[in-house]
Every structure is written in structure tokens, then in C-alpha cells.
Amino acid sequence: DARVTQTPRHKVTEMGQEVTMRCQPILGHNTVFWYRQTMMQGLELLAYFRNRAPLDDSGMPKDRFSAEMPDATLATLKIQPSEPRDSAVYFCASAGGQAYNEQFFGPGTRLTVL
Amino acid sequence: GDSVTQMEGPVTLSEEAFLTINCTYTATGYPSLFWYVQYPGEGLQLLLKATKADDKGSNKGFEATYRKETTSFHLEKGSVQVSDSAVYFCALSANTGGFKTIFGAGTRLFVKA
């Protein structure tokens, strides 16, 4: 059963610390998305990659957020330095193959910045 | 730009009641339309989809018909269960191979026993 995996599932950190979230897309999927979900803003697209190249990161605060795909099996989202307003659930999703425009979401990383 | 508008929640129903969640869209061209569902503590998952006008997507008793003339994709279920309590997202994706999906704001459904 192919799934998107995300680690860690929960992260509590203090303001100013670096946070790294990881995502393993479904094998064979060539598109990876990062989303942030909060009660106030709902689901926001932060960035997405095609064949490991960034296509759109306009939703991401550039000064503190960065997203990369070091290889086809790993996507990372970093926040440095973290702030309390970054507290949210961060989702990774992947797409590709036959179900070309269906997105498969991971379980999310719940981030709390104190 | 493309957009999706869905009815605000929360929607509260009794078990076995009929469900409708309205969704309308704005898009250039002929997008694919989706309903995703998010259960508590989980990521979104695809519930159903339709890729062209007049197509009906269906899954787990839920249905939605792609209506190009009214630019709508309303979600319906004839008899809801407590286990259907979740947040439902209407979404569209342009059929240009981009995979980027525009999501609605989500509608929270509570079903009471």
C-alpha cells in the first residue's frame, strides 16, 4: 500500500530554533507539494516541485523558510528561525503516474513553536 | 485566476439525514474536479473525482456531478453516518499536466447519533 510518509509527526520547539520536516513521496511520483494548515488560514500551498526542481514557492516566507528535494525519495522543509506564528500542521503531498492530477497526502507534521 | 467556493460550515446533521455540500468553481478551460475528505488527525484523501462535464464521481455512498453550465460540483449523500464526520474540501485541477490543485476552504460536517 503506497503512502506518503512524513517525519516527525509532532514537533515542539522554542522560538528561534531550526525546524526540519521530511517527506518521502510515493515511489514513482514526480511532483511534491508542501502545504500548511491552520484554523485561521485554512490550507495554504507553500511550494511544489516537479522532478526535484522547484516550480513555485511563492506561498513561502522566503526569509525563514526553505524547501528542497535532495533526491527523488526525500523532500525537506526547513524553518530557521522558527516563530510562534509558524505553529501549524504541515502536509506533504505527491502526485504523478496514472492518477496524474490526484494528490496523495501524508499524515502531516504538527508543529508547535513556543 | 482559478478558484473554488464552497459552503461555509459547520454543517450538523442527524444520522441518516441527507447531505448536500455546495461547491462552485471558476476556471479557464476544462478542469478536473475533486472532493477530498480529511478525518481528524489525518491528511486529506481523495473521496471522488470527475474529469469532464456531466461525469458523476461516486464513492462510499457520496456522489457529485460535474455541471459545466452552472460551474458546480455539489457533494451529496443520501444517508449520513456518524463516521462521515470530517472536513470536506472541493478542489479543481487544470488538465494541463500541472498537477497543481486549487482547494476550497473546507466544510466541516458533524453527524450526531
Side-chain angles (χ1 to χ4, degrees):
Chain A
D1 185 21
R3 298 184 184 207
V4 175
T5 58
Q6 290 186 247
T7 56
R9 291 295 312 276
H10 303 272
K11 176 72 175 179
V12 179
T13 191
E14 293 190 349
M15 183 173 62
Q17 296 299 304
E18 178 179 302
V19 175
T20 298
M21 291 170 270
R22 294 177 175 80
C23 166
Q24 181 172 6
I26 290 174
L27 188 65
H29 282 188
N30 66 347
T31 307
V32 174
F33 302 83
W34 282 106
Y35 294 91
R36 176 170 63 184
Q37 186 177 41
T38 61
M39 290 294 292
M40 294 300 294
Q41 300 297 325
L43 192 66
E44 303 173 273
L45 176 65
L46 297 176
Y48 76 106
F49 293 77
R50 172 79 39 76
N51 297 323
R52 297 175 55 200
L55 284 192
D56 184 355
D57 62 0
S58 59
M60 210 162 60
K62 301 291 191 302
D63 56 338
R64 299 182 300 108
F65 284 60
S66 62
E68 296 179 341
M69 277 200 77
D71 61 60
T73 65
L74 177 64
T76 62
L77 179 66
K78 291 186 180 180
I79 309 174
Q80 169 62 23
S82 58
E83 298 181 2
R85 59 180 167 153
D86 301 329
S87 297
V89 181
Y90 291 81
F91 289 104
C92 172
S94 70
Q98 296 294 325
Y100 67 95
N101 58 5
E102 173 187 345
Q103 294 190 19
F104 294 78
F105 280 74
T109 294
R110 181 174 294 276
L111 173 65
T112 302
V113 183
L114 302 174
Chain B
D2 296 354
S3 66
V4 174
T5 302
Q6 60 183 106
M7 64 189 285
E8 287 190 27
V11 174
T12 303
L13 296 174
S14 297
E15 208 165 24
E16 298 183 4
F18 185 86
L19 169 71
T20 300
I21 300 178
N22 291 335
C23 171
T24 57
Y25 67 91
T26 302
T28 54
Y30 303 97
S32 292
L33 301 176
F34 306 85
W35 278 100
Y36 283 80
V37 59
Q38 184 180 27
Y39 298 104
E42 299 182 9
L44 282 69
Q45 58 185 272
L46 182 68
L47 179 60
L48 54 84
K49 68 179 180 183
T51 58
K52 61 183 186 298
D54 300 325
D55 268 1
K56 177 187 284 188
S58 61
N59 186 25
K60 299 181 181 179
F62 292 89
E63 293 183 339
T65 301
Y66 190 142
R67 301 286 188 200
K68 185 171 181 293
E69 63 276 13
T70 55
T71 61
S72 64
F73 193 55
H74 305 319
L75 182 68
E76 297 182 336
K77 187 175 185 182
S79 176
V80 294
Q81 305 300 312
V82 173
S83 57
D84 294 327
S85 298
V87 181
Y88 293 82
F89 292 86
C90 186
L92 69 82
S93 178
N95 285 322
T96 54
F99 300 174
K100 185 175 178 179
T101 299
I102 308 298
F103 288 91
T107 301
R108 185 175 294 276
L109 171 67
F110 292 105
V111 180
K112 302 180 297 183

